[in-house]
Amino acid sequence: MIAANLSQLESLNAEIEQRELESAYLVIRDETECPWCNKTLGFKKIRIFPHGMAFHMRCAKPSECPITKQRFDIDIKTE
C-alpha cells in the first residue's frame, strides 16, 4: 500500500514537472547572446535545451549543454 502510494506520488510529480517544462517559454531578442560564443543569437538557427538555455546550433551538441554538461538524451530511471 505504501509502495503503491509512493509510486503514484512519483508519477504525479513527474507529470507536474513535464507540464511545467512544456508551458515554459524563452524570449529571444535581437541582442540576446549565445552563452558559449557570446555572439548575438538573433534569428539564426538556435538550439534550446529543456533547462532554458539557448545556443547557436554550432555551439552546442544536440543532447548536451556546453555550459553545464547536462545530458538530455539519457532517461534516468529510479527504482
Side-chain angles (χ1 to χ4, degrees), residues 6-34:
L6 286 174
S7 177
Q8 184 179 11
L9 179 62
E10 286 180 18
S11 177
L12 289 172
N13 284 337
E15 185 178 331
I16 289 169
E17 184 177 348
Q18 181 68 30
R19 287 185 183 189
E20 287 174 351
L21 287 172
E22 289 173 353
S23 67
Y25 64 93
L26 182 65
V27 176
I28 304 292
R29 292 184 166 58
D30 290 335
E31 64 274 1
T32 302
E33 293 182 351
C34 171

Side-chain angles (χ1 to χ4, degrees), residues 4-69:
N5 287 339
L6 286 174
S7 177
Q8 184 179 11
L9 179 62
E10 286 180 18
S11 177
L12 289 172
N13 284 337
E15 185 178 331
I16 289 169
E17 184 177 348
Q18 181 68 30
R19 287 185 183 189
E20 287 174 351
L21 287 172
E22 289 173 353
S23 67
Y25 64 93
L26 182 65
V27 176
I28 304 292
R29 292 184 166 58
D30 290 335
E31 64 274 1
T32 302
E33 293 182 351
C34 171
W36 185 252
C37 69
N38 297 317
K39 293 181 182 175
T40 306
L41 286 174
F43 294 101
K44 300 171 186 146
K45 292 182 180 178
I46 61 173
R47 179 164 289 148
I48 301 172
F49 289 101
H51 65 327
M53 296 184 84
F55 300 89
H56 292 114
M57 293 287 278
R58 68 178 181 273
C59 294
K61 296 177 186 176
S63 60
E64 181 180 294
C65 174
I67 303 292
T68 65
K69 302 297 183 201

